[in-house]
Amino acid sequence: MKGEYCIGGATILSAVAVLLMIFVHVGQINTSSVPHGISMATLNVSGYGNSLHQAFSDPIQGLYASNASLPLGQQNGLRQEYRFGLYSYCAYINGSGSCSGTTAASRFQPYNATTSDMLSNYSQFSDAIFVGTTFKDSSYLGFNSHAAYYFLLLGTILASLSLLVGVLRKTYLFFASASLAILSAMFILIGAAIWTSLVKKTESLNTMQITQGVTSGMNISYGSGIYLTWAAFACLVAAVVPYMSICCTYRG
């Protein structure tokens, strides 16, 4: 019975990890309820216009879009919030929004995403305001998020294989499942660490000042997808223990 408990526990942990990673992958592929709630990073720009007004004492007109369904990247105006996933990003006004085109290994480039929605005069202001910041370094953020995607994808595939192989109940296959779970956990760990680092480095945006006493009015934060990724890593690490115990004791 103890062996059965180990098999069941390892299977459940692996299944949970796979399910969590599936949720991570569907984040921001469209604006329906589940993808809407899952992202790797969230950028709120609702206060940017007010900050520009305070800094330059000029009226800020045409910075924001009033229609959430307008296509992104065509200077139609900023939305209130941008959420970034592994395949695309979406932008929202009061919960309604639209998404960019879906592509594998979508690059995390929040500065490009926001300025492509601004009129040219505001994007020129932004170029000067955010020069030298990690937030503006689209090459650095894009390259690393692109690499992180493939680590997460490989981790998801290996976790799925570990789950499938582990239910066949052969001693050597339990060892294979343990090995796959270890590899999967390593890949997911690397992907999660990269994303965590990228968002952490861009958080300087939250406190930077346009002029003395006037902050940027933008706020970037971790999305739920990062927490789901770390949870999937923890589940896989936990699954290795029963898998290794079974491959040493199982006599089926």
Side-chain angles (χ1 to χ4, degrees), residues 192-210:
I194 291 174
W195 264 104
T196 302
S197 175
L198 294 180
V199 177
K200 183 65 178 178
K201 288 183 177 181
T202 55
E203 280 186 332
S204 59
L205 172 72
N206 301 348
T207 55
M208 74 164 287
Q209 296 185 352
I210 299 176

Side-chain angles (χ1 to χ4, degrees), residues 9 11 20 27 36 41 62 70 73 76 79 90 93 98 136 140 143 158 160 168 178 181 188 205 209 233 242-243:
T11 300
L20 290 173
H36 181 176
L70 291 173
N76 289 319
R79 281 50 166 186
C90 300
I93 300 175
S98 57
K136 190 176 184 293
Y140 168 77
F143 174 81
L158 292 174
S160 301
L168 298 179
I188 290 176
L205 172 72
Q209 296 185 352
F233 164 73
Y243 275 138

Side-chain angles (χ1 to χ4, degrees), residues 8 62 111 152:
Y111 183 78
L152 295 177

Side-chain angles (χ1 to χ4, degrees), residues 18 28 37 42 59 77 139 159 168 173 190-192 198 203 235:
V18 172
Q28 303 310 305
T42 298
S139 177
L168 298 179
L173 292 178
I190 295 170
L198 294 180
E203 280 186 332
C235 287

Side-chain angles (χ1 to χ4, degrees), residues 50-67:
N50 185 55
S51 293
L52 290 178
H53 174 67
Q54 292 182 49
F56 302 113
S57 301
D58 290 328
I60 305 300
Q61 298 176 342
L63 177 61
Y64 291 96
S66 57
N67 186 345

Side-chain angles (χ1 to χ4, degrees), residues 43-49 64 78-82 114 135 217-219:
L43 174 64
N44 189 309
V45 298
S46 59
Y48 186 48
Y64 291 96
L78 281 177
R79 281 50 166 186
Q80 295 171 340
E81 186 177 69
Y82 291 76
T114 51
F135 173 65
M218 294 188 180
N219 186 280

Side-chain angles (χ1 to χ4, degrees), residues 93-131:
I93 300 175
N94 297 324
S96 299
S98 57
C99 297
S100 65
T102 301
T103 180
S106 176
R107 295 175 183 266
F108 175 52
Q109 297 175 321
Y111 183 78
N112 288 0
T114 51
T115 53
S116 66
D117 283 336
M118 298 178 188
L119 297 176
S120 58
N121 59 326
Y122 291 121
S123 61
Q124 290 169 6
F125 285 149
S126 299
D127 286 343
I129 291 170
F130 298 108
V131 64

